[in-house]
Amino acid sequence: MAQVYDHGGGVRSVQVPIPDNPLGHTLVYVVETDRGPVLVDTGWDDPDSWDTLAEGLTACGTGVGAIHGVVITHHHPDHHGLSGKVREASGAWIAMHAADSAIVRRTRETRAERWFTYMTAKLEAAGAPEDHVAPLRTARRRELPGFSPALPDREIVPGELLDLPGRRLRAIWTPGHTPGHVCLHLEEEHPSGLPGHGRLFSGDHLLPEITPHIGLYEDPDDATVTDPLGDYLDSLERVGRLAPAEVLPAHQHVFTDASARVGQLLAHHEERLTDLRSLLAEPLTPWQLAERMEWNRPWDQIPYGSRNIAVSEAEAHLRRLVKLGRAEAVTGSDPVTYVAV
């Protein structure tokens, strides 16, 4: 049975399950507007997830066919996966930030073989061992889910109010977890009168007990060197200054005191950067750094796909250390190694 919560003031949420994932579920928010309900995120594209969303919307006093619009915090499949089905069932519009829309477009247009070739080259450059890289050389499209996410038909413009009649929902661009991640600031008095400035739909940017993954999302044809961790930390400070009365995240549970949580996350990342710099007393490749980093389980217990994510996160941290002047690439190393300075 679908778990539904009433957050007051015309906002409800439905717990939509994520199959085979320790996060458990995505909180899909249902926001009443003068033109019908609008969803913030939709959940994973899976039959059980779809059934749970439909059941939850019925429990909220509406249905999939009545949805007026879908606002996506970011392109990940546990947030954007069911958007296409919701649009097919209701005619709803789908809105997303341009940077994540570009990733969706690229995902749809890139042949799987091109993607596997790119991933192989990235992992080799990061120092991954041959036994890890080898499966990518023979992988096929069927082994990579989520290759046809729905194309959004509206753009979320940072700083602007979304077109939700009867509501004041402003887009706050918070890159880091993805390049086009947005939080959504409901600029209305809290229904229970909690002190602060409205409520914040925070997606994965600000979660009550866990830290979102910060990795790399790069166009294979674009050589720009990004700094996603730096973007994330800047975005965190911006959200902290909003001082919302309540945060409505996409996972776990609703919470208050956003500024305190922001402070914890900033301190966590500073501590982690310091720890990683100490590991770089000797030159390490991104893969070697990932092997030595602290994760939620020992490296030899981390599944294949999660190791790719871990290496991406290690690279994001390395880029931040280099930008801060606390580490540098070793000239002439191949694969490239980094060392503390």
Side-chain angles (χ1 to χ4, degrees):
M1 182 172 177
Q3 292 288 318
V4 175
Y5 303 91
D6 188 345
H7 303 284
V11 177
R12 295 177 173 83
S13 64
V14 180
Q15 277 192 7
V16 177
I18 310 171
D20 303 317
N21 189 295
L23 277 175
H25 61 265
T26 302
L27 287 168
V28 173
Y29 291 94
V30 187
V31 182
E32 294 173 12
T33 80
D34 291 347
R35 287 194 194 148
V38 167
L39 301 184
V40 176
D41 293 334
T42 57
W44 191 275
D45 185 6
D46 175 81
D48 288 342
S49 304
W50 173 253
D51 290 346
T52 302
L53 177 62
E55 184 184 326
L57 290 173
T58 300
C60 289
T62 184
V64 176
I67 299 303
H68 172 60
V70 175
V71 183
I72 299 299
T73 60
H74 61 295
H75 73 85
H76 285 166
D78 55 325
H79 297 257
H80 181 46
L82 287 172
S83 302
K85 287 186 176 173
V86 171
R87 181 164 59 190
E88 287 170 18
S90 64
W93 46 261
I94 300 172
M96 185 183 286
H97 186 281
D100 272 22
S101 293
I103 294 173
V104 168
R105 195 171 297 109
R106 194 162 71 235
T107 301
R108 292 171 61 92
E109 294 171 357
T110 301
R111 290 186 305 110
E113 294 74 15
R114 170 81 174 94
W115 183 250
F116 287 125
T117 301
Y118 172 70
M119 281 298 297
T120 299
K122 285 287 290 181
L123 284 163
E124 285 176 337
E130 176 57 28
D131 63 352
H132 183 87
V133 177
L136 289 169
R137 303 187 202 283
T138 55
R140 295 291 178 266
R141 183 186 185 95
R142 67 179 180 276
E143 297 173 48
L144 199 62
F147 237 74
S148 297
L151 270 175
D153 40 61
R154 290 193 181 184
E155 183 178 327
I156 295 176
V157 180
E160 291 193 2
L161 289 171
L162 279 77
D163 182 21
L164 272 61
R167 309 305 299 244
R168 287 187 60 84
L169 190 65
R170 192 176 302 277
I172 312 296
W173 185 33
T174 50
H177 182 57
T178 71
H181 191 292
V182 293
C183 292
L184 303 154
H185 191 200
L186 192 59
E187 299 178 340
E188 302 168 9
E189 186 176 340
H190 190 278
S192 301
L194 291 180
H197 302 101
R199 291 185 278 180
L200 186 75
F201 298 101
S202 65
D204 281 1
H205 183 69
L206 192 62
L207 300 169
E209 296 164 12
I210 55 177
T211 307
H213 165 68
I214 309 297
L216 306 179
Y217 290 91
E218 297 177 320
D219 184 339
D221 301 316
D222 186 346
T224 304
V225 177
T226 59
D227 178 22
L229 181 54
D231 292 340
Y232 176 68
L233 298 175
D234 289 346
S235 302
L236 270 181
E237 292 184 346
R238 206 159 55 245
V239 163
R241 289 193 292 270
L242 284 176
E246 191 172 43
V247 180
L248 291 78
H251 304 289
Q252 299 188 309
H253 54 81
V254 170
F255 63 101
T256 57
D257 204 349
S259 59
R261 182 60 182 144
V262 165
Q264 290 171 357
L265 288 167
L266 291 171
H268 162 80
H269 280 287
E270 180 54 39
E271 183 180 342
R272 195 164 207 208
L273 287 169
T274 300
D275 290 345
L276 297 190
R277 185 174 179 274
S278 67
L279 290 174
L280 295 173
E282 59 175 314
L284 297 175
T285 65
W287 180 275
Q288 290 169 332
L289 183 64
E291 287 180 313
R292 291 160 173 78
M293 288 170 68
E294 262 193 49
W295 304 105
N296 59 1
R297 65 189 100 172
W299 182 257
D300 61 5
Q301 294 176 25
I302 295 177
Y304 180 90
S306 297
R307 289 188 178 191
N308 294 338
I309 294 170
V311 173
S312 179
E313 182 143 341
E315 285 206 68
H317 281 75
L318 279 168
R319 289 188 184 185
R320 188 69 194 146
L321 285 170
V322 169
K323 190 162 186 178
L324 292 170
R326 291 155 69 175
E328 64 184 10
V330 176
T331 306
S333 56
D334 184 21
V336 65
T337 58
Y338 294 84
V339 67
V341 293

